[in-house]
Amino acid sequence: MKRVDLQIIKNEPLTDSVYRMVLKGDVSEIRAGQFVNIKLDGLYLRRPISVCDLEGDTLTIIYKVVGEGTKKMSELSVGTLDVLTGLGNGYDLSTAGAHPVLIGGGVGVPPMYLLAKKLLADGFDTTVILGFNTKS
């Protein structure tokens, strides 16, 4: 686990309640399947959010507005966030087998994106099956 300050690069709605936030900074300790804990001013508890993607020094998270904390996150456009990174065990790719199948739905899909990217980059023949409640 590592505490870092990450700069908000982008925070945009994907649907009426789902947002994509791109953060920039030291993301060196993050692996596929891990999550981050974000501190928000005025709130006691950090918000745990699964990692969706990593590209160089940028981290992408996708989150659903379900309460006060994620509502506050959706209103951020610029600034720096206090983030705990490298949380959770991540995925053990040594147990993937020759043809891994990833299955997820709704907000359970974003953490699978980085895993699928990693599996494909490592030469695995990967199948992804996704489900959602609505078209949006």
Side-chain angles (χ1 to χ4, degrees):
M1 175 180 69
K2 184 175 189 176
R3 194 209 68 76
V4 295
D5 291 325
L6 299 179
Q7 191 73 29
I8 300 170
I9 301 301
K10 186 185 301 185
N11 191 26
E12 61 188 357
L14 299 176
T15 71
D16 58 343
S17 63
V18 177
Y19 284 73
R20 173 179 36 222
M21 182 182 282
V22 179
L23 302 167
K24 184 174 183 170
D26 181 4
V27 295
S28 60
E29 294 205 10
I30 301 173
R31 296 186 347 253
Q34 290 188 311
F35 67 97
V36 296
N37 249 335
I38 300 172
K39 183 177 183 182
L40 298 168
D41 291 339
L43 299 175
Y44 179 71
L45 296 175
R46 290 176 178 264
R47 295 313 187 259
I49 308 288
S50 297
V51 172
C52 177
D53 197 14
L54 290 171
E55 291 268 340
D57 62 353
T58 63
L59 159 74
T60 300
I61 58 173
I62 295 181
Y63 61 95
K64 185 173 186 174
V65 176
V66 293
E68 182 183 348
T70 48
K71 173 69 175 151
K72 190 169 190 170
M73 280 177 58
S74 73
E75 296 166 352
L76 299 173
S77 60
V78 295
T80 301
L81 292 175
D82 177 327
V83 181
L84 298 178
T85 66
L87 301 172
N89 294 323
Y91 297 113
D92 179 2
L93 301 186
S94 70
T95 63
H99 185 86
V101 177
L102 308 180
I103 302 171
V107 292
V109 170
M112 288 194 321
Y113 180 77
L114 184 58
L115 174 59
K117 229 170 103 169
K118 176 73 173 142
L119 288 167
L120 291 170
D122 288 354
F124 288 91
D125 182 19
T126 305
T127 299
V128 178
I129 300 169
L130 307 176
F132 302 92
N133 285 338
T134 65
K135 184 178 178 179
S136 66

